C-alpha cells in the first residue's frame, strides 16, 4: 500500500499532465482556425454575423497534434506509472478520476473562451459538426484516456497479470 505522500506526489504529476493537456487542446484548437475561409454574412431577427469554413488540412493537423501529444505522453510518463497505480486503494482511484473530470471540464471552459475570443458571440464555423467534435471531443477523449490509464492497471492486477 502506498502512503499519502507518494499519492500526493502522483496527484501533482497528474495535475501537471492535465494542465499540459488543456494547454495543448487550446493550441491545437487555434491551429484548426488557420486558413479558415470567409463564406459570407448571415442575419436573423436578433443576430448578425459571419460564417467561416475550416481549412480541412489545418483542422486535421490540430487533431493529429492533440492525439500525438496523448500518445507520446503515455509512452513517456504514464507507461512508467502503471505499477504505482496498482498500489492505490479504491478511494485513491476515485480521487484520480475526479481530478480527471475536473480538468476535462476546465478544458471545455478553456476551449469555449478560446473560441469566443476568435469568433465572438455571433460568428460561426462551418460545418458546425466539426466545431462540436473539437469543443466536446477533446475534453471527453482526455477524460476517457485518463480513466483508462487509472483503471487498466487495477483490472490487470485483479486478473492476476
Amino acid at each position: 500500500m502506498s502512503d499519502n505522500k507518494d499519492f500526493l506526489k502522483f496527484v501533482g504529476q497528474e495535475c501537471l499532465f492535465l494542465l499540459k493537456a488543456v494547454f495543448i487542446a487550446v493550441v491545437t484548437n487555434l491551429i484548426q482556425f488557420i486558413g479558415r475561409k470567409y463564406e459570407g454574412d448571415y442575419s436573423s431577427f436578433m443576430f448578425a454575423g459571419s460564417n467561416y469554413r475550416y481549412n480541412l488540412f489545418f483542422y486535421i493537423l490540430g487533431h493529429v497534434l492533440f492525439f500525438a501529444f496523448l500518445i507520446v505522453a503515455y509512452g513517456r510518463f504514464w507507461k512508467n506509472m502503471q505499477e504505482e497505480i496498482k498500489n492505490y486503494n479504491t478511494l485513491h482511484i476515485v480521487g484520480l478520476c475526479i481530478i480527471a473530470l475536473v480538468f476535462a471540464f476546465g478544458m471545455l471552459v478553456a476551449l469555449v473562451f478560446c473560441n469566443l475570443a476568435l469568433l465572438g458571440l455571433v460568428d460561426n464555423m462551418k460545418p458546425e459538426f466539426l466545431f462540436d467534435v473539437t469543443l466536446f471531443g477533446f475534453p471527453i477523449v482526455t477524460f476517457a484516456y485518463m480513466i483508462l490509464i487509472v483503471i487498466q492497471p487495477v483490472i490487470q492486477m485483479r486478473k492476476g497479470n
Side-chain angles (χ1 to χ4, degrees), residues 80-96:
N80 299 330
M81 304 302 279
Q82 296 291 300
E83 286 300 316
E84 191 171 336
I85 292 172
K86 290 179 184 179
N87 297 326
Y88 298 137
N89 63 34
T90 304
L91 188 58
H92 288 139
I93 299 298
V94 169
L96 294 172

Side-chain angles (χ1 to χ4, degrees), residues 11-138:
V11 166
Q13 291 171 331
E14 180 188 21
C15 289
L16 284 174
F17 167 76
L18 289 169
L19 197 57
K20 288 178 192 174
V22 170
F23 176 76
I24 295 296
V26 168
V27 168
T28 56
N29 181 57
L30 291 172
I31 288 171
Q32 292 177 344
F33 285 95
I34 295 173
R36 66 183 176 164
K37 294 181 184 176
Y38 172 77
E39 287 201 327
D41 294 327
Y42 76 92
S43 64
S44 66
F45 174 69
M46 292 183 70
F47 298 105
S50 300
N51 289 318
Y52 295 93
R53 182 161 297 278
Y54 283 108
N55 177 318
L56 206 51
F57 172 77
F58 286 106
Y59 181 81
I60 292 170
L61 179 64
H63 278 276
V64 167
L65 292 174
F66 180 75
F67 290 111
F69 165 75
L70 292 180
I71 291 167
V72 168
Y74 179 78
R76 289 198 174 172
F77 179 71
W78 292 111
K79 192 172 185 179
N80 299 330
M81 304 302 279
Q82 296 291 300
E83 286 300 316
E84 191 171 336
I85 292 172
K86 290 179 184 179
N87 297 326
Y88 298 137
N89 63 34
T90 304
L91 188 58
H92 288 139
I93 299 298
V94 169
L96 294 172
C97 293
I98 289 171
I99 290 168
L101 180 63
V102 168
F103 273 90
F105 180 73
M107 183 183 290
L108 175 66
V109 170
L111 289 171
V112 166
F113 279 115
C114 176
N115 291 335
L116 283 174
L118 285 172
L119 295 173
L121 289 173
V122 293
D123 290 344
N124 298 314
M125 288 300 294
K126 299 290 181 179
E128 289 181 28
F129 170 76
L130 295 180
F131 183 81
D132 293 341
V133 165
T134 300
L135 183 63
F136 299 108
F138 281 6

